[in-house]
Amino acid sequence: MKYLYHYLFLTTSLILLGNCTKDTLPGTDTTTPPSLETDTGAEAFEGWIRVKFKSGNDEIAPVVTKSGALSTGLASVDNAALALGARQMKRVFPPAGRFEERTRKEGLHLWYDLYFDESIPVSKAVSDFRQLPEVAVAEPIYKASLIHPSAPVEVSETTTISRASQNAPYNDPLLSNQWHYDNDGTLPDALAGADINLFRAWEITQGSPEVIVAVVDGGVDYAHEDLQGNVVNPAELNGQPGIDDDGNGYIDDVYGWNFYSGSNQVYTGSEDSHGTHGAGTIAAHADNGIGIAGIVRSDHVKVMAVKALGGWDGSGSTASIIRAIQYAEANGARICNLSLGSSRNDPALYRTIAASDMLFVVAAGNDGADLELAPSYPASYHLDNLITVANLRYDGNLDPTSSYGASSVDLAAPGTHILSTTPGNSYSYMTGTSMAAPMVSAAAAMLCSQFPEATLADVKDILLSSVQKLDSLTGLTATGGMLDLGAAMASGAAAQKGRTWTEPDLAAYTDSPPILSLSLFQWRGQQYLTVQVQDPDGDFRFESGK
């Protein structure tokens, strides 16, 4: 077949990540591989850019004068801000208490968000600030969104899927429907053993320390019958109403904090199905005679609900995600689950994750894309403290919607037709990499509980070195395997090395590469490939014929 490569148009049109489709149960699967035609853009916010000042500008203290002008003490910056009608400038990384020394060491205190007249194009604001001698980086702020799974299918007599064997170590009535714990091969086209080997892990686990997993997501229904008592911020739990008992700057953050709307309401309704589902996979009560069983025993784990995204489309800004991550670490979280993403790189988000001591578990995305060619962030960040997870089906193959990458995606975990908690004491099946990532977050928490002397770098190494190899994953993930928690628990004692995180390259990911969207079409008997170039930074140069 002859391919003619035509650059038909260039565009900066942007849309949110992710699609929602109805979850189709086994035996009625009509899923087809994703089309080559894709659009992975992300919309930029108006009236808002992010600026990083060069070293030496450490003590900027922006104020608004009586005349309404912004004053920073830097004449060139003040003049540029005045021309944009700027009304506010504030640190991206607020003063971080006991983490402030590290914040300054990493240069994070030099990042500021600038808010200006929305009638002025963002491109002009970025261009004006990039020309200032005091400015190292100026960039738009892009929307991020939840990595949308299939629409929930609530469990019922007509939707129930289960293993043939009803033998289970706990008495939760829906445990037999959680095929991903113990796949006996009886589902249509299922591959026996394509599961996380949880029953074996449960036989081994004897851990006791409570490990906190931050679910930075939409909100979590902390009053759900299967989650009550497991969604908490322990430092504030027994405090007085209206008092910041733990002195962290957030009043009554008993369950976490809502950075999407700036309140302690971490559950706001049905829009929080996504986060509630992930929390249930990690920490739903087991052996309580109700609903499902979470992966980690409730006396070994707590979930911190950190709502960073919301609304009907599960969107928000990377600014709220950054603050959510900082909050999670400052309040004791060791593991951070991120089932969210954007096609646009935000250097400040990269630096936030790079500077953290937490272990981040990130969903690869549901675009069916090769992340080596079409990166998604933060999934595509090559950082030692980050694990990226693809979605494995019960037949041992990646789901067609799952993104993948020979070096960008570390391993796969079950993410198709996953039963977990949803708001209002309900239980629903969902499909997506957002269901796979909490499996790995929970596995990391179980290892931390079982081996309290292990470093988080050790925990990552144990998880990746103990995967179950599958031919179907060769070349699609870095390990070529799927999560095997039973093997990880069995090998963990001998695998502890005391390793610490590799020092990150803070100069990496300082801008966003052009993004290519491809589509094939036929015209007059010829096959054409259309290449759509989306340039977030305005620095892409195209020369005809090159």
Side-chain angles (χ1 to χ4, degrees):
M1 178 170 62
K2 183 179 180 181
Y3 286 93
L4 301 179
Y5 290 80
H6 282 224
Y7 291 86
L8 296 184
F9 55 91
L10 300 177
T11 181
T12 56
S13 60
L14 309 167
I15 64 169
L16 290 173
L17 228 101
N19 296 308
C20 283
T21 57
K22 187 174 181 180
D23 198 5
T24 307
L25 298 176
T28 60
D29 192 352
T30 58
T31 302
T32 57
S35 165
L36 182 63
E37 184 173 0
T38 60
D39 187 352
T40 56
E43 183 181 350
F45 286 94
E46 295 179 349
W48 185 10
I49 64 170
R50 180 161 294 146
V51 175
K52 183 193 177 187
F53 290 98
K54 293 178 180 177
S55 297
N57 298 290
D58 298 77
E59 303 306 327
I60 294 174
V63 296
V64 177
T65 65
K66 291 182 179 180
S67 64
L70 186 68
S71 175
T72 64
L74 301 173
S76 62
V77 173
D78 293 347
N79 291 334
L82 182 63
L84 297 175
R87 62 186 186 277
Q88 186 181 21
M89 179 184 282
K90 62 182 181 180
R91 271 179 57 169
V92 175
F93 305 90
R98 61 192 177 93
F99 292 105
E100 179 67 9
E101 182 179 352
R102 187 175 69 189
T103 295
R104 288 180 171 268
K105 179 181 177 182
E106 303 293 347
L108 301 181
H109 64 296
L110 297 171
W111 291 85
Y112 284 80
D113 283 344
L114 177 72
Y115 302 88
F116 56 91
D117 187 342
E118 293 184 2
S119 67
I120 296 176
V122 169
S123 58
K124 173 175 170 50
V126 169
S127 176
D128 287 356
F129 268 77
R130 282 181 175 174
Q131 296 177 43
L132 301 181
E134 299 90 350
V135 171
V137 176
E139 60 184 12
I141 306 294
Y142 293 104
K143 289 185 178 179
S145 72
L146 300 175
I147 296 179
H148 293 294
S150 61
V153 174
E154 191 167 343
V155 66
S156 68
E157 291 184 3
T158 58
T159 63
T160 295
I161 59 174
S162 64
R163 301 157 29 255
S165 173
Q166 299 299 306
N167 295 327
Y170 295 145
N171 65 5
D172 306 271
L174 296 177
L175 179 55
S176 64
N177 304 113
Q178 296 178 273
W179 68 265
H180 44 287
Y181 292 172
D182 181 44
N183 183 357
D184 61 6
T186 56
L187 295 175
D189 302 317
L191 174 67
D195 56 60
I196 68 170
N197 199 8
L198 181 59
F199 289 0
R200 182 186 178 197
W202 277 343
E203 293 173 355
I204 298 171
T205 182
Q206 296 178 348
S208 58
E210 287 184 355
V211 179
I212 300 175
V213 179
V215 176
V216 176
D217 204 284
V220 175
D221 181 4
Y222 53 84
H224 193 288
E225 62 182 5
D226 234 353
L227 287 171
Q228 285 183 355
N230 276 3
V231 182
V232 296
N233 171 19
E236 190 84 5
L237 181 60
N238 298 312
Q240 302 178 50
I243 303 296
D244 180 14
D245 299 280
D246 56 4
N248 68 351
Y250 300 92
I251 295 174
D252 294 340
D253 54 331
V254 176
Y255 307 105
W257 194 257
N258 182 339
F259 288 90
Y260 179 74
S261 60
S263 74
N264 67 348
Q265 301 300 309
V266 298
Y267 173 65
T268 58
S270 60
E271 71 177 48
D272 296 327
S273 294
H274 190 271
T276 302
H277 197 277
T281 295
I282 297 166
H285 291 285
D287 208 26
N288 64 344
I290 298 174
I292 64 164
I295 291 173
V296 192
R297 282 176 45 178
S298 58
D299 57 342
H300 295 176
V301 70
K302 292 291 182 284
V303 165
M304 180 186 293
V306 196
K307 183 176 171 69
L309 304 172
W312 66 270
D313 59 349
S315 67
S317 71
T318 50
S320 62
I321 297 169
I322 287 168
R323 294 187 179 103
I325 290 170
Q326 285 191 304
Y327 170 90
E329 183 165 21
N331 288 280
R334 300 192 66 199
I335 299 156
C336 185
N337 190 88
L338 297 174
S339 292
L340 48 80
S342 173
S343 61
R344 297 299 192 241
N345 169 47
D346 181 342
L349 177 61
Y350 170 78
R351 284 176 172 258
T352 303
I353 296 173
S356 174
D357 288 331
M358 291 190 293
L359 172 61
F360 293 84
V361 180
V362 183
N366 299 335
D367 297 319
D370 184 346
L371 297 186
E372 314 296 316
L373 302 176
S376 175
Y377 305 98
S380 294
Y381 290 147
H382 288 275
L383 285 167
D384 191 22
N385 64 338
L386 187 147
I387 298 175
T388 299
V389 188
N391 167 14
L392 190 83
R393 299 192 305 191
Y394 42 80
D395 63 0
N397 294 300
L398 281 189
D399 191 276
T401 65
S402 177
S403 294
Y404 55 93
S407 65
S408 298
V409 177
D410 294 289
L411 78 169
T416 299
H417 310 313
I418 303 303
L419 181 62
S420 190
T421 50
T422 41
N425 293 333
S426 63
Y427 302 85
S428 301
Y429 294 98
M430 289 188 186
T431 291
T433 55
S434 292
M435 286 63 255
M439 303 270 176
V440 178
S441 292
M446 185 180 285
L447 287 169
C448 286
S449 177
Q450 181 74 5
F451 307 109
E453 300 302 317
T455 65
L456 287 172
D458 286 339
V459 167
K460 176 182 178 178
D461 293 344
I462 293 167
L463 288 171
L464 299 188
S465 64
S466 61
V467 297
Q468 179 187 167
K469 300 284 187 178
L470 295 174
D471 291 342
S472 61
L473 297 178
T474 301
L476 300 180
T477 68
T479 61
M482 68 170 292
L483 174 66
D484 188 333
L485 184 48
M489 290 289 286
S491 64
Q496 297 178 65
K497 309 284 186 189
R499 188 174 78 83
T500 57
W501 296 128
T502 301
E503 196 70 23
D505 178 7
L506 295 180
Y509 302 97
T510 55
D511 54 16
S512 292
I515 295 177
L516 303 183
S517 300
L518 311 177
S519 60
L520 288 171
F521 71 96
Q522 287 188 332
W523 186 59
R524 295 184 176 179
Q526 296 283 355
Q527 188 85 16
Y528 290 85
L529 174 67
T530 302
V531 181
Q532 177 180 349
V533 182
Q534 302 176 53
D535 178 26
D537 296 316
D539 57 0
F540 178 75
R541 297 292 179 265
F542 171 74
E543 297 181 27
S544 179
K546 293 288 181 77

